[in-house]
Amino acid sequence: MDIADRVALRDAPVRPADIVPLDRALRLVLQGGRETRSYRVRAGDTLWTIAGRTGMRVPNLQELNPGLSPRNLAIGEVLKLSRTVPLINVSTVYTQTQRQELPCPVVRKKDDRLPLGLTRVLQAGRAGLAEVTEQVICRNGQVVGRRELTRKVLQAPREQVVAVGTWQLLASRSGSGGRLGWPVVGAVTSPFGARWGGFHPGIDIAAGYGTPVDAAAPGRVVRAGWYGGYGNCVDIDHGDGVVTRYGHLSRIAVEEGEQVIKGQLVGYVGSTGFATGPHLHFEVRINGNPVNPESFL
Ligand SMILES: [Zn+2]
């Protein structure tokens, strides 16, 4: 404990009436000081808003400013304010020990086998725990500063490792980033993923019967014919294990083995196979596994 002001102790004769019990003396030390301020009345002020703004009570305001009443406040009038402050300022310093959570760091690793734009958590992170001892500095009971003295790590945080895909799905000689082109222009009426208790391995794109369907990227036609629920179906192999599939076509415009360029006509929208109406079912497969085409369009 430290007293911020200069306080001298000395023996002096006092009148017996000035001697006070300890608790009153303590109250005097903590609240015996008085700080006088003033306040200039602004438009729209009331005694209550002034009291609220200055941390005072209306009766105290009236006591300090005799004759003040809610009805005779004048704009620009100066009111006396005061508040109690400690007679002397007491600083205390103590040490305290607390447990503190340590956030887990995140490490990003580039992965050239993961498509660009996708991430995958390789190792889940976990927060750590430390025991921290610090010095706390208070002034009149209010914390004004802290200083770390020691830190003991009870449990080190485990880093979160995230793979960040850098693989360009399709190598592009034009440098356009290897994105896929939309095979037809239309709204996605059924997205990739869980559907009707099953799994929808592609997206359905709304388009009228007979709308031309274009190759999403250059490649080689590896399927051009009827394929079960897909009806009339075209698969194009783009290399690097990437295949696009176009289903429910009313008519096919390419042949198996044919080399196509991006945007080339491969067929026409229909509703052959398992389809309730004309639309294009479009799939992207990487090494045989369907992925969400919307990540690459
Ligand atoms: Zn579909």
Side-chain angles (χ1 to χ4, degrees):
M1 185 176 116
D2 185 43
I3 293 168
D5 306 280
R6 278 184 89 90
V7 176
L9 297 174
R10 64 188 159 89
D11 294 326
V14 292
R15 290 181 300 159
D18 288 342
I19 295 174
V20 296
L22 183 63
D23 60 335
R24 235 194 102 209
L26 198 62
R27 215 164 39 235
L28 268 173
V29 165
L30 292 176
Q31 302 171 356
R34 200 155 277 274
E35 185 183 78
T36 305
R37 296 168 296 160
S38 59
Y39 179 83
R40 191 177 290 274
V41 177
R42 291 182 243 169
D45 272 344
T46 68
L47 274 189
W48 288 270
T49 60
I50 294 169
R53 200 173 286 148
T54 59
M56 300 212 25
R57 290 156 46 96
V58 171
N60 300 132
L61 273 177
Q62 288 174 310
E63 192 186 309
L64 281 165
N65 300 275
L68 187 67
S69 91
R71 258 155 294 158
N72 61 10
L73 272 181
I75 293 172
E77 185 179 356
V78 176
L79 304 184
K80 265 201 274 181
L81 307 175
S82 78
R83 64 181 170 139
T84 60
V85 291
L87 202 56
I88 55 175
N89 292 295
V90 178
S91 295
T92 47
V93 177
Y94 60 92
T95 56
Q96 83 179 6
T97 301
Q98 277 179 323
R99 289 195 164 191
Q100 220 176 67
E101 193 171 89
L102 305 172
C104 74
V106 177
V107 177
R108 293 168 172 275
K109 283 188 179 163
K110 286 182 181 172
D111 185 343
D112 60 5
R113 285 162 306 158
L114 193 63
L116 186 74
L118 300 187
T119 58
R120 183 184 297 149
V121 174
L122 299 176
Q123 177 184 284
R126 189 189 56 205
L129 193 65
E131 200 170 70
V132 178
T133 301
E134 56 182 7
Q135 195 173 51
V136 183
I137 302 142
C138 296
R139 190 177 165 89
N140 299 327
Q142 299 268 46
V143 175
V144 294
R146 290 173 184 275
R147 196 159 61 91
E148 190 174 308
L149 298 176
T150 63
R151 167 177 294 253
K152 196 168 88 187
V153 176
L154 302 176
Q155 187 181 53
R158 187 172 63 185
E159 61 191 19
Q160 169 125 337
V161 184
V162 181
V164 179
T166 58
W167 177 40
Q168 298 265 323
L169 183 59
L170 302 164
S172 166
R173 266 173 236 98
S174 66
S176 64
R179 308 297 290 182
L180 296 174
W182 284 82
V184 293
V185 176
V188 173
T189 51
S190 184
F192 175 85
R195 180 173 76 165
W196 307 324
F199 181 77
H200 188 218
I203 57 174
D204 290 345
I205 306 174
Y209 186 93
T211 303
V213 174
D214 300 336
R220 195 169 61 88
V221 177
V222 291
R223 184 195 304 279
W226 190 270
Y227 186 43
Y230 290 102
N232 287 323
C233 181
V234 170
D235 283 1
I236 301 175
D237 186 340
H238 306 285
D240 287 333
V242 180
V243 170
T244 53
R245 175 170 294 173
Y246 312 78
H248 311 313
L249 301 174
S250 57
R251 201 148 59 81
I252 291 173
V254 286
E255 282 173 13
E256 214 172 291
E258 192 178 334
Q259 207 68 37
V260 293
I261 59 167
K262 183 173 180 173
Q264 184 172 332
L265 177 74
V266 297
Y268 299 90
V269 170
S271 60
T272 53
F274 179 59
T276 51
H279 71 271
L280 177 71
H281 173 91
F282 179 57
E283 267 178 41
V284 177
R285 288 176 173 260
I286 297 177
N287 299 324
N289 302 310
V291 296
N292 188 353
E294 290 187 84
S295 303
F296 307 106
L297 288 169

